[in-house]
Amino acid sequence: MTHYFPATMSGVVLTGHGGFDKLEFRTDLPVPQPAKGEVLIRVAASAINNTDINTRIGWYSKAVRESTAEGGTSEDDDASWTGEALHFPRIQGADCCGHIVAVGEGVDPARIGERVIVKNLLHSYVTGPFACWTFGSECDGGFAQYAKAPAAETYAVNCDWTDAELASMPCAWSTAEGMLHRAGVKAGETVLITGASGGVGSAAVQLARRRGATVIGISSKAKADQVLALGASRVVARGANLVAELGADSVDVVIDIAAGPGFPELPEVLKRGGRYAVAGAIAGPIVELDVRNLYLKDLTFFGCTYYDDVVFENLVSYIERGEIRPNVGATYPLERIVEAQQEFLSKNTGGKIVLIIPQTL
């Protein structure tokens, strides 16, 4: 080890699948030890994401058919991203912003002191096509004072952003950029984005505009001005009839994180040869698809979880060139994680909700 750090730390552990009672704030957790090829990070901030809540309630289990907000809960062994049983207790937190304070064998000690973010999909721990571990799910994550991560997937970032802003990036923005990357969004295309006021949705609005696309967002009427300020040309109220509002065969690409009862209209508004990319189903995972739309219109569907390293590398470059800026809606201290998740689920706050990690024990 190349730097002093304490033996114990504060953090939140998930003790099993279930309600808020499964989240425990503790001050006696062991500080992780960086192994070969790893770094130890003093965490400054970590944002709330749908995946944290979905993992807690066991929503990824095939037994669950409800939306995240409806709280469909499962304790089945398949209630994780990978479909394999999680090991508890687990420190969640798919996002991590902080400073490297120690390095494991084989890592340049000069990296100590770097301000970093961690790629939320870790390829280093698994092999095979489309294989990845999720930071804060298959391994411990950012809801603690210290976290370890593979050095190769821990990126130094030089910018003037706050810790809360930088912590809002890894999961939501890589998800959004990964969808746009897979769907091949180009300048001049029209892109329809569901959930456009949330973390992933607001990121997708900015990133699609950065590519030169015309963006139409779907959000609540109360958040329409926020979505327009992010770069959308138009906002359609959630629950409105999309075909009536936009017309059939009117958009090139759909970026969907909602699914749910509004899904059947999305293939209807896609042009022939259009592309649909999905990376979430917060409005409900079970949908009705008229397969004739899929094949008669020559549509392409992309399911998006895994992304290539270039997606995260591009995000870091966008940050450092000042081409994007996250929308932070609220911050909470880590010990108030239950309040933060309740606010997240209420959907009253647009943008990211970020947990600030205590700096002292």
Side-chain angles (χ1 to χ4, degrees):
M1 299 305 149
T2 56
H3 192 277
Y4 169 78
F5 48 90
T8 58
M9 65 179 181
S10 298
V12 173
V13 294
L14 179 69
T15 60
H17 295 300
F20 293 117
D21 61 310
K22 298 296 185 180
L23 296 171
E24 293 184 4
F25 179 79
R26 292 173 49 183
T27 59
D28 60 348
L29 298 173
V31 172
Q33 305 294 309
K36 182 177 181 180
E38 294 181 333
V39 297
L40 181 67
I41 300 162
R42 178 71 167 84
V43 183
S46 182
I48 300 288
N49 291 281
N50 279 302
T51 186
D52 306 315
I53 295 167
N54 290 341
T55 296
R56 171 174 59 77
I57 67 177
W59 182 86
Y60 293 113
S61 171
K62 296 298 191 299
V64 175
R65 302 176 68 85
E66 299 89 356
S67 70
T68 302
E70 291 173 303
T73 302
S74 172
E75 298 180 6
D76 291 353
D77 286 345
D78 67 339
S80 71
W81 277 43
T82 63
E84 297 179 3
L86 292 184
H87 299 285
F88 300 106
R90 169 67 70 222
I91 297 172
Q92 291 186 282
D95 290 321
C96 177
C97 165
H99 290 83
I100 294 176
V101 295
V103 298
E105 179 186 348
V107 181
D108 187 352
R111 295 205 62 182
I112 293 175
E114 287 182 356
R115 190 183 190 213
V116 296
I117 54 178
V118 177
K119 183 156 66 69
N120 62 303
L121 297 184
L122 303 176
H123 303 158
S124 298
Y125 295 143
V126 287
T127 58
F130 296 98
C132 54
W133 277 32
T134 310
F135 192 65
S137 179
E138 281 66 49
C139 64
D140 286 342
F143 289 170
Q145 288 183 304
Y146 293 90
K148 69 175 185 175
E153 299 182 284
T154 301
Y155 290 72
V157 185
N158 297 307
C159 67
D160 62 354
W161 293 10
T162 65
D163 292 333
E165 287 177 318
L166 201 51
S168 72
M169 297 297 298
C171 184
W173 284 72
S174 64
T175 298
E177 178 69 5
M179 296 167 79
L180 297 170
H181 179 79
R182 290 278 293 280
V185 172
K186 303 182 292 295
E189 293 190 313
T190 298
V191 179
L192 177 65
I193 299 172
T194 68
S197 64
V200 176
S202 62
V205 171
Q206 286 197 56
L207 291 166
R209 284 292 299 128
R210 184 200 159 275
R211 289 169 176 251
T214 297
V215 175
I216 302 171
I218 300 175
S219 79
S220 66
K221 291 181 179 179
K223 298 175 184 175
D225 287 344
Q226 293 181 38
V227 177
L228 291 170
L230 292 171
S233 298
R234 181 178 177 184
V235 177
V236 177
R238 187 171 61 240
N241 185 311
L242 293 179
V243 177
E245 290 283 338
L246 304 177
D249 305 328
S250 58
V251 303
D252 298 286
V253 179
V254 168
I255 299 296
D256 188 20
I257 58 167
F263 172 85
E265 295 179 45
L266 299 176
E268 294 282 357
V269 298
L270 277 169
K271 295 177 181 177
R272 294 184 179 276
R275 291 101 71 199
Y276 168 89
V278 60
I282 58 174
I286 309 303
V287 300
E288 182 178 281
L289 171 65
D290 185 336
V291 176
R292 291 168 296 189
N293 270 328
L294 180 57
Y295 75 86
L296 290 175
K297 295 178 68 173
D298 288 289
L299 303 180
T300 303
F301 278 27
F302 297 95
C304 302
T305 294
Y306 176 93
Y307 57 78
D308 296 321
D309 288 339
V310 68
V311 167
F312 208 82
E313 293 163 2
N314 285 343
L315 273 182
V316 172
S317 72
Y318 303 161
I319 296 170
E320 294 187 333
R321 293 198 300 265
E323 295 177 355
I324 54 176
R325 195 90 189 198
N327 177 24
V328 176
T331 61
Y332 289 80
L334 178 63
E335 60 267 29
R336 291 172 57 194
I337 186 172
V338 170
E339 293 175 61
Q341 289 196 0
Q342 289 171 333
E343 179 62 20
F344 182 94
L345 286 167
S346 77
K347 303 303 178 186
N348 291 327
T349 298
K352 294 295 291 184
I353 295 175
V354 181
L355 297 169
I356 305 302
I357 312 301
Q359 297 299 300
T360 59
L361 288 170

